[in-house]
Amino acid sequence: MKPNELNFNVPGRFEEHSCTFVTWPCKGDKEIDLFRKEVATVVNIISKYEKIILIVDPEDLNNAKEQCSDIADMWPIPTDMSWIRDNGPIFVRNNNNEIAAVHFKFNGYGNKFTPYEKVINIPSLIAKKLNIKCFASNLIVEGGGVSFDGEGTVITTEQMLMNSNRNSNFTRRQIEMELHETLGIEKVIWLKKGLVEDKDTDGHVDCVAEYLAPGKILIQTIYDKNNPNYEILKENYNIINNETDASGNKLDIIEMPYLPNFSQLYKNNIYVSPYTNYYVANGAVMVPEVDVTLDQKAYRIIEQIYPDRVICPVKAFYQAIGGGGPGCITQQLPKGNNAKI
């Protein structure tokens, strides 16, 4: 039977967690030592608010223990790629508060990044370790490319989910049906594109929009007409402003008008790290620390969104040059009563 037939639905990222999963950066990641140091710092901060489980390739176990043994549990599982948000399981929960996992396909972001022979098994291996059900799907879904309201609505981009380098065998309607059957999705809100700079992941939605609560969404906007993202973000806003959620309700939109660049260059390239790509933990929010002229303005917006959580700025430069941010290196396990952690 399909997950939705068993009353499983995907919760929102903002709901209470049992723990957070992070993949220890793998060999082949850019600036691996600095990337690991940065991830260890983020893990240390999150660990003050909830349990951390590090997924570590056995070859890297000693290195992970040296930096994180006192702040995280280690699960040695073969992997050859980081970014568990995109290649890990997406968890669902039923009316009995039982957790299950959905194992979507993964192909290295449209076969742009290799190797990924090991990482394609990560969802089912994590589910086995948790001793929970694992449902398989032939659809390619990367967690950074979807944002859920926890009540049957998902927001995504055509650029990612309908890309011919991922789901060429699925029509738009077939994608919607598969999301319904696996995650309990009743309504898909389709944006056209993500950020211009987001070439590696083909326009992941977490760089432009994030559900904050049912009916409430944070949207990346920009007021500088000379910015190459101006028209894209304007169109995204207009789409969402004219949409309703699965219950037929208009969406409460909060704008994030700040889109920061790191002042530090990497191989003469400038990198963007959107504040929308934060990670919300139990009691705290990890937000990229990017531009001293914009950070505090952005933090104030997020602080108003989450008044009961601590805003925790985190270093994110080496995440950015690898193609992600705090929301990409993490994956939450929703609160339930059956997962063994």
Side-chain angles (χ1 to χ4, degrees):
M1 296 180 73
K2 298 285 188 177
N4 73 308
E5 296 175 292
L6 299 171
N7 296 313
F8 281 102
N9 298 280
V10 62
R13 190 189 303 194
F14 44 80
E15 298 182 42
E16 189 175 2
H17 308 164
S18 289
C19 73
T20 292
F21 291 100
V22 175
T23 300
W24 190 240
C26 302
K27 292 180 176 65
D29 280 320
K30 294 176 181 177
E31 303 296 341
I32 183 68
D33 292 336
L34 293 169
F35 185 21
R36 285 176 172 172
K37 183 177 180 181
E38 191 173 88
V39 168
T41 301
V42 178
V43 166
N44 182 56
I45 296 173
I46 298 175
S47 71
K48 301 179 189 306
Y49 299 93
E50 62 184 76
K51 183 183 182 71
I52 293 280
I53 296 176
L54 274 186
I55 305 303
V56 187
D57 187 81
E59 292 184 10
D60 300 324
L61 189 57
N62 288 337
N63 179 271
K65 285 181 176 179
E66 287 173 5
Q67 300 190 54
C68 296
S69 62
D70 57 338
I71 55 176
D73 288 358
M74 310 280 169
W75 285 8
I77 297 177
T79 185
D80 42 20
M81 190 173 287
S82 305
W83 316 111
I84 197 167
R85 172 69 55 187
D86 297 332
N87 53 52
I90 293 181
F91 295 103
V92 290
R93 184 172 56 204
N94 68 11
N95 297 336
N96 295 321
N97 213 31
E98 296 170 329
I99 302 295
V102 181
H103 185 162
F104 289 103
K105 296 289 187 184
F106 179 77
N107 72 345
Y109 307 101
N111 290 304
K112 290 197 289 291
F113 299 95
T114 57
Y116 58 83
E117 286 79 11
K118 294 179 185 177
V119 79
I120 58 175
N121 298 312
I122 285 289
S124 57
L125 292 174
I126 289 178
K128 184 177 180 180
K129 184 82 172 174
L130 291 169
N131 195 29
I132 61 175
K133 291 180 181 178
C134 187
F135 300 93
S137 172
N138 287 321
L139 188 68
I140 292 175
V141 178
E142 296 146 14
V146 285
S147 182
F148 308 108
D149 73 345
E151 295 188 352
T153 311
V154 63
I155 184 167
T156 187
T157 68
E158 294 178 1
Q159 183 185 1
M160 186 281 292
L161 203 52
M162 293 182 65
N163 201 308
S164 61
N165 66 14
R166 288 168 172 78
N167 293 309
S168 60
N169 294 328
F170 286 81
T171 64
R172 183 190 187 105
R173 180 57 181 158
Q174 287 171 332
I175 290 173
E176 292 177 343
M177 283 303 300
E178 185 68 8
L179 292 175
H180 170 70
E181 292 177 353
T182 55
L183 302 176
I185 297 302
E186 302 293 340
K187 173 70 177 285
V188 180
I189 297 176
W190 292 96
L191 303 183
K192 300 296 183 183
K193 295 180 180 180
L195 294 180
V196 168
E197 294 88 349
D198 189 10
K199 296 180 176 66
D200 288 349
T201 63
D202 296 306
H204 271 192
V205 80
D206 59 6
C207 287
V208 295
E210 186 63 48
Y211 260 110
L212 309 171
K216 192 172 186 178
I217 196 163
L218 181 67
I219 295 295
Q220 181 71 60
T221 56
I222 200 158
Y223 301 144
D224 179 6
K225 293 184 177 181
N226 294 318
N227 188 294
N229 290 292
Y230 177 79
E231 292 296 337
I232 292 171
L233 298 177
K234 181 180 178 182
E235 183 177 24
N236 285 349
Y237 181 92
N238 289 336
I239 289 171
I240 292 169
N241 193 42
N242 288 294
E243 273 286 5
T244 58
D245 62 17
S247 299
N249 300 314
K250 290 284 289 182
L251 298 171
D252 180 10
I253 300 173
I254 296 176
E255 291 187 54
M256 174 56 74
Y258 311 114
L259 183 58
N261 296 320
F262 287 99
S263 58
Q264 182 179 352
L265 300 181
Y266 179 73
K267 295 186 176 179
N268 293 320
N269 291 318
I270 298 173
Y271 286 86
V272 170
S273 186
Y275 298 114
T276 58
N277 195 1
Y278 60 76
Y279 179 62
V280 55
N282 297 335
V285 186
M286 316 300 131
V287 190
E289 190 175 61
V290 189
D291 182 339
V292 293
T293 65
L294 298 177
D295 286 351
Q296 293 304 319
K297 296 177 181 178
Y299 298 163
R300 280 195 289 272
I301 292 174
I302 297 173
E303 192 172 43
Q304 291 170 1
I305 293 166
Y306 296 107
D308 298 327
R309 302 185 199 236
V310 179
I311 305 304
C312 301
V314 295
K315 302 292 184 184
F317 181 70
Y318 293 100
Q319 294 163 63
I321 67 172
C328 305
I329 62 171
T330 50
Q331 177 62 279
Q332 71 281 353
L333 176 67
K335 197 74 172 177
N337 58 21
N338 64 319
K340 309 299 182 184
I341 61 171

